[in-house]
């Protein structure tokens, strides 16, 4: 691994889903710390890309390489959607995994490379295992066929697959072997545009409180999740890889208890 050739020593982090919510909060945090941020989104970002397609991801990676001279220190694969079951699969799993894979060669040229994905506490739900397995088998056709009847549970399955992909990939030669940390953050319910309609609806909100109780402080704000993503992108965070850290106000304790090891 070669040392980062960036002459000013400033770290460069790519953030996807950067125009809104958690991604925007992460960009603001890194910017305030004096770091260089490459913000990627469908719109309202300096790199505009549709990460729901392989071509969109490839074009994004090409543009990032052009802007950085081929060296990236950290990637936060954060773009996500609940818009439709198909888009949940395409963006939340395939888009995130393709983003991490496409930018991995640029990470190998950093002296302290870090990658993090935004998963979800929705991985706790007993979502469809066949869909998650189709994603992990890189079988987009089957995954897209399985998604529509699942409705919102396709979102949970896409995030479960993403979290499992992180666990499987982190210790491999491509990641740990190349010195690249690969982790995930699993937010509980966060007050962002994605969740605003559900939070505003009393019935949906009561359902959320029951299925994902957050006794420690209630709903999170985007800034809370950004702090933890920034922890995982930092050069000073060492020896942590393959972790899925839930930032969920205690919801995981409620679901899993202490019998997880
Ligand atoms: N808000 C929550 O409660 C919550 C909980 C758990 C996980 N998450 C995850 O956190 C991440 C950020 O979500 P948020 O809450 O900030 O939502 P948000 O809707 O505010 O932001 C998501 C961003 O992703 C972008 N995006 C969507 N599809 C894209 C595509 N095809 N190509 C490029 N960009 C695309 C959107 O344009 C948007 O800017 C997502 O992965 C989401 O699934 C959110």
């Amino acid at each position: 691994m070669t040392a980062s050739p960036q002459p000013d020593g400033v770290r460069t982090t790519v953030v996807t889903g950067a125009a809104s919510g958690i991604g925007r909060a992460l960009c603001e945090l890194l910017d305030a710390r004096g770091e260089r941020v490459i913000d990627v989104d469908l719109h309202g970002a300096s790199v505009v890309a549709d990460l729901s397609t392989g071509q969109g991801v490839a074009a994004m990676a090409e543009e990032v390489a052009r802007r950085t001279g081929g060296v990236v220190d950290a990637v936060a694969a954060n773009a996500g959607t609940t818009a439709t079951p198909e888009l949940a699969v395409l963006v939340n799993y395939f888009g995130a995994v393709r983003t991490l894979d496409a930018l991995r060669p640029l990470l190998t040229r950093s002296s302290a490379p870090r990658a993090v994905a935004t998963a979800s506490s929705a991985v706790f739900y007993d979502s469809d295992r066949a869909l998650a397995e189709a994603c992990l088998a890189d079988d987009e056709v089957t995954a897209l066929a399985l998604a529509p009847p699942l409705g919102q549970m396709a979102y949970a399955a896409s995030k479960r697959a993403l979290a499992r992909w992180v666990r499987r990939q982190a210790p491999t030669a491509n990641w740990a072997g190349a010195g690249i940390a690969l982790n995930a953050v699993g937010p509980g319910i966060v007050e962002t545009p994605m969740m605003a309609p559900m939070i505003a609806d009393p019935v949906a909100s009561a359902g959320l409180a029951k299925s994902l109780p957050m006794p420690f402080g209630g709903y999170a704000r985007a800034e809370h999740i950004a702090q933890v993503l920034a922890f995982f992108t930092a050069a000073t965070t060492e020896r942590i890889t393959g972790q899925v850290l839930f930032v969920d106000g205690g919801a995981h304790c409620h679901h899993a208890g202490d019998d997880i090891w």
Side-chain angles (χ1 to χ4, degrees):
M1 190 168 49
T2 54
S4 172
Q6 283 143 354
D8 54 9
V10 174
R11 281 175 75 74
T12 298
T13 299
V14 177
V15 178
T16 72
S20 177
I22 294 166
R24 179 190 280 181
L26 178 60
C27 291
E28 288 171 358
L29 177 62
L30 296 175
D31 186 59
R33 290 182 182 176
E35 299 192 18
R36 196 178 290 115
V37 178
I38 303 200
D39 53 320
V40 179
D41 208 302
L42 272 175
H43 42 67
S46 57
V47 176
V48 171
D50 181 356
L51 304 176
S52 69
T53 69
Q55 299 95 305
V57 172
M60 176 277 294
E62 204 173 301
E63 180 58 16
V64 169
R66 194 186 67 74
R67 289 176 184 228
T68 60
V71 187
V72 163
D73 297 292
V75 176
N78 167 76
T81 184
T82 53
T84 67
E86 291 93 333
L87 276 172
V89 166
L90 290 174
V91 179
N92 303 350
Y93 180 77
F94 288 101
V97 165
R98 285 179 181 142
T99 293
L100 292 163
D101 276 338
L103 296 177
R104 199 185 63 79
L106 285 67
L107 285 166
T108 62
R109 302 191 189 103
S110 167
S111 56
R114 308 280 183 261
V116 64
T118 307
S120 172
S121 293
V123 303
F124 309 153
Y125 298 141
D126 193 19
S127 57
D128 191 78
R129 282 165 198 269
L131 174 52
E133 283 311 316
C135 290
L136 286 160
D138 201 26
D139 184 348
E140 191 178 301
V141 173
T142 301
L144 285 176
L146 290 169
L150 298 174
Q152 280 298 319
M153 288 312 273
Y155 173 89
S158 72
K159 293 294 190 179
R160 178 186 282 227
L162 178 60
R164 285 183 184 229
W165 182 87
V166 165
R167 295 279 298 170
R168 290 181 189 185
Q169 290 296 316
T172 65
N174 274 351
W175 294 91
I180 310 169
L182 174 63
N183 293 289
V185 170
I189 298 155
V190 193
E191 291 171 337
T192 67
M194 177 182 281
M195 289 304 288
M198 282 187 88
I199 290 172
D201 174 348
V203 177
S205 187
L208 285 175
K210 207 169 164 196
S211 65
L212 209 66
M214 298 175 66
F216 186 53
Y219 296 150
R221 294 197 308 274
E223 295 77 14
H224 299 143
I225 313 304
Q227 286 285 350
V228 182
L229 288 167
F231 166 75
F232 280 124
T233 64
T236 45
T237 302
E238 296 271 12
R239 297 295 183 278
I240 303 178
T241 201
Q243 298 304 305
V244 182
L245 182 54
F246 296 109
V247 188
D248 64 0
H252 189 226
C253 304
H254 171 83
H255 274 267
D258 60 3
D259 193 16
I260 59 169
W261 305 281

